[in-house]
């Protein structure tokens, strides 16, 4: 499994209710948006991208979270990788009189659903060798029932790794309320990666000539820790293993 190629994040300045906004978006993109009654998040899956809409009000407590609705697009269709997808989506919004503004989305983490249910209260096991890192996790096949399979996160071309406990950052907003059993996260606009690049550039100005490819900021979760990894690629799988835990 590779990281999806592109995200687009927009702020919506509509003076209407969440339901009214979803109705406008449903008409614009000819798709149905689903959400739970007490949820501040709605989603629509199209062939080439998934749209996620965040309400500006926390429905559980009636607290204002943001002055604007947040609209995130996760682009997955191959035909969109080499064309002007931003302009395409913005044109759809403009044609349906939906007012928006671009968001830089610095240090915003996008959740990516895992193909298995990572056991939420168990530690992961990490092995590293050279510039590769492998993390293993236990899997549930239903609540509190462990599978015979082990989940595997394989990172290649690792640049850096860190553990963060009790992290209180904008990265992790909405993670606990996403309607998936388990996920990992990607930060396309990462301050940490930017810092590493600037530091390396100051010591080795020509480093990009021999270190090709794009690095990403990934986050996976252990029991009480976030494990953050800067690497070029992540592959996710599951298999039957013995002696890991």
């Amino acid at each position: 499994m590779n990281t999806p190629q592109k995200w687009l994040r927009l702020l919506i300045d509509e003076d209407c209710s969440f339901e009214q906004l979803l109705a406008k978006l449903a008409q614009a993109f000819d798709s149905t948006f689903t959400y739970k009654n007490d949820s501040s998040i709605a989603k629509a899956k199209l062939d080439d991208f998934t749209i996620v809409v965040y309400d500006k009000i926390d429905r559980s407590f009636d607290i204002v979270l943001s002055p604007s609705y947040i609209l995130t697009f996760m682009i997955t269709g191959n035909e969109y990788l080499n064309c002007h997808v931003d302009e395409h989506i913005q044109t759809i919004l403009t044609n349906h009189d939906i007012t928006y503004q671009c968001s830089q989305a610095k240090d915003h983490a996008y959740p990516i659903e895992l193909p298995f249910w990572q056991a939420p209260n168990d530690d992961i096991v990490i092995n590293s060798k050279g510039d590769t890192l492998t993390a293993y996790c236990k899997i549930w096949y239903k609540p509190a029932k462990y599978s015979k399979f082990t989940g595997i996160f394989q990172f290649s071309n690792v640049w850096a790794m860190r553990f963060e406990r009790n992290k209180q950052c904008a990265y992790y907003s909405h993670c606990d309320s996403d309607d998936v059993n388990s996920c990992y996260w990607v930060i396309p606009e990462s301050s940490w990666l930017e810092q590493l690049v600037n530091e390396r550039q100051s010591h080795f100005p020509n480093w990009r000539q021999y270190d090709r490819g794009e690095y990403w900021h990934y986050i996976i979760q252990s029991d009480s820790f976030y494990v953050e990894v800067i690497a070029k690629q992540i592959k996710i799988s599951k298999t039957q293993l013995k002696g890991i835990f």
Side-chain angles (χ1 to χ4, degrees), residues 13-105:
D13 295 327
E14 292 290 317
D15 184 17
C16 62
S17 69
F18 190 52
E19 289 80 1
Q20 289 171 327
L21 175 62
L22 294 181
K24 288 185 177 182
L25 292 171
Q27 183 178 18
F29 291 95
D30 192 23
S31 184
T32 301
F33 285 77
T34 59
Y35 69 100
K36 299 175 183 176
N37 290 333
D38 59 347
S39 174
S40 301
I41 302 172
K43 293 184 179 181
K45 289 190 177 182
L46 286 77
D47 290 338
D48 302 306
F49 47 77
T50 296
I51 310 173
V52 184
V53 190
Y54 298 98
D55 196 354
K56 55 187 174 182
I57 296 176
D58 185 324
R59 291 167 166 266
S60 299
F61 303 101
D62 293 329
I63 298 173
V64 176
L65 298 173
S66 168
S68 302
Y69 298 107
I70 300 173
L71 192 62
T72 296
F73 295 85
M74 297 174 61
I75 289 74
T76 54
N78 290 332
E79 63 269 31
Y80 279 90
L81 299 184
N82 297 312
C83 72
H84 301 293
V85 62
D86 295 21
E87 289 86 348
H88 171 69
I89 291 173
Q90 291 169 16
T91 297
I92 292 175
L93 295 173
T94 300
N95 289 343
H96 287 81
D97 297 322
I98 299 173
T99 306
Y100 66 89
Q101 58 177 297
C102 293
S103 170
Q104 296 299 317

Side-chain angles (χ1 to χ4, degrees), residues 202-216:
S202 68
H203 293 290
F204 307 103
N206 299 322
W207 68 276
R208 289 191 183 275
Q209 294 181 8
Y210 60 86
D211 190 353
R212 304 286 184 176
E214 188 172 3
Y215 286 95
W216 294 86

Side-chain angles (χ1 to χ4, degrees), residues 171-186:
Y171 299 176
Y172 309 125
S173 60
H174 301 298
C175 289
D176 290 337
S177 57
D178 283 324
D179 57 351
V180 298
N181 287 329
S182 56
C183 64
Y184 69 100
W185 298 271
V186 182

Side-chain angles (χ1 to χ4, degrees), residues 114 118 124-126 133-137 152-155 161-164 172 183-186 217-223 225-229 234 236:
L114 287 170
Q118 180 180 351
I124 61 175
V125 173
I126 296 177
L133 184 149
T134 305
Y136 303 91
C137 69
I152 304 173
F153 302 87
Q154 294 176 300
F155 297 93
M161 183 191 76
R162 67 187 184 190
F163 293 90
E164 295 283 357
Y172 309 125
C183 64
Y184 69 100
W185 298 271
V186 182
H217 183 170
Y218 300 98
I219 304 172
I220 58 176
Q221 192 165 11
S222 192
D223 177 20
F225 287 85
Y226 290 104
V227 180
E228 306 194 41
V229 181
I234 183 174
I236 298 172

